Amino acid sequence: MSHHFVIRVVGKLLIPFILLFGLYVQFHGDFGPGGGFQAGVIFASAFVLYALIYGVDKAREILPDDVLRVGIALGVLIFGGTGVVSMLWGAPYLDYSPLASTPSAGQHIGIFIVELGVGITVASVMVTLFNLFARRGGDDELDAE
Amino acid sequence: MIEPGLYNYWIVVFLMMAGLYVVVARGNLIKKLVGLNVFQASVFLLYITMGKVEGGTAPILAEGVTVYSNPLPHVLILTAIVVGVATTALGLALVVRIQEAYGSIEEDELEEKDERDERKLRS
Amino acid sequence: MTATIFMIVRLHNLFAVVMLGGIYSLLAASMFVVLDAVDVAFTEAAVGAGISLVLMLAALSLTKTEEKVASRHGILPLLVVLVTGAALIYGTLDMPHYGDPNAPIQQHVAPTYVADAQAKTTVPNVVTAVLASYRGYDTLGEVVVIFTAGVGVMLLLGDRRRRRRRAEGRE
């Protein structure tokens, strides 16, 4: 699809904003609608858009498979690790209260970290899924869209 | 029978049955997956309508608002949607592999082919 | 929404069916906004109308885009669906009414969540608070499910070894 001039230009304009919006949704999820799940999907959709316009191989140069594979595991690890950290401080698993000076601040930090973990996993899984499906058919299949 | 308060459930039931019909009656595997998605969305709708409170607002705390809709179904469905797409992708992956192995994604053709292979093995 | 569903059932062109599936998701998302579930609507719009549509299209391009016209139009599926639907409708007659603040679902833990979330977690978005803190175990489970699904698809479709061998064979 890379030969369509309009799509290339509009895509180039849109992708940074989609990424920015994803970050906003991720880190503003405590106050407005949003959170790790949504942010992960939005973030992934930016990369999918890039892959649709410029081809999967180019997208994989930016975000190699190894990085994605690490990301998938890292998110789960962050989530589970937070629970272990609170256990080390003597609290029950996944009780974030001891992570800061006051319990409520600890909860806030805990939610923040956990959402980050969720976001990383969801984004990496979604991009990986797309890459796998797209690569299966070779490069010509993307013209179907 | 005339109970306007139950209208929402009937919509859900209708959508659910439409999804179920697609899953049961159609032989094409991708169409079955779309049907499953429709079914899934109807369940989401069921949960969300149950959580709605008359006169309530979205469960993001703000000053001057006292009635909120129930946040619990929202949480459950929020995660269910993302899990749903991940499992759908898994189903699609299976369909792709079936297409590669059998050259078809129609149920009857798959069965035919299986039977033929079995007969060949026996003889 | 009903019209979309009807078309999904009727059409045989899978491309159109998948597209209608996306429209259906978007309609569901707008419905969630009306029902006060902004977080859910957000997710549904991003997932249903975005990622899942792209995945479906990618899978379609690997298979066929035309459904074989069904040879068996059996009455049995319709019958099963109608009976199940009737049973479900009968079941709804005892359900609490739409928007009823006294329904059992509103009486259980939800009021505590709404009342305590701000003080305990300093997070105004109750959905986020419940998601990550009160029901952290659930969410951890969900993330692991996504992880597992991702690994599953990798196993099914990621053919690194075979691909490399093919590339070597070509050279």
Side-chain angles (χ1 to χ4, degrees), chain C residues 128-152:
Chain C
T128 304
V130 176
L131 177 89
S133 184
Y134 288 99
R135 295 203 153 245
Y137 281 100
D138 281 13
T139 313
L140 179 59
E142 309 271 16
V143 174
V144 173
V145 170
I146 294 169
F147 170 79
T148 317
V151 173

Side-chain angles (χ1 to χ4, degrees), chain C residues 52-93:
Chain C
S52 124
L53 196 58
V54 172
L55 285 181
M56 283 271 187
L57 287 174
L60 264 192
S61 65
L62 295 177
T63 54
K64 295 185 188 113
T65 51
E66 202 61 41
E67 182 190 24
K68 203 183 66 174
V69 178
S71 52
R72 40 171 194 154
H73 262 303
I75 199 84
L76 188 64
L78 196 64
L79 200 70
V80 168
V81 165
L82 282 180
V83 170
T84 322
L88 283 175
I89 296 261
Y90 177 70
T92 60
L93 295 182

Side-chain angles (χ1 to χ4, degrees), chain A residues 26-105:
Chain A
Q26 171 81 55
F27 296 120
H28 204 260
D30 323 353
F31 305 102
F37 284 97
Q38 295 95 321
V41 174
I42 292 172
F43 223 75
S45 69
F47 285 105
V48 170
L49 183 61
Y50 187 86
L52 282 177
I53 296 173
Y54 298 98
V56 183
D57 291 326
K58 254 201 167 146
R60 278 173 65 212
E61 278 170 26
I62 298 173
L63 211 60
D65 283 1
D66 294 336
V67 173
L68 285 174
R69 217 161 291 156
V70 170
I72 291 175
L74 184 71
V76 180
L77 269 181
I78 290 177
F79 202 137
T82 317
V84 175
V85 167
S86 56
M87 250 165 91
L88 290 179
W89 289 94
Y93 188 67
L94 284 179
D95 181 355
Y96 317 125
S97 300
L99 295 177
S101 49
T102 59
S104 62

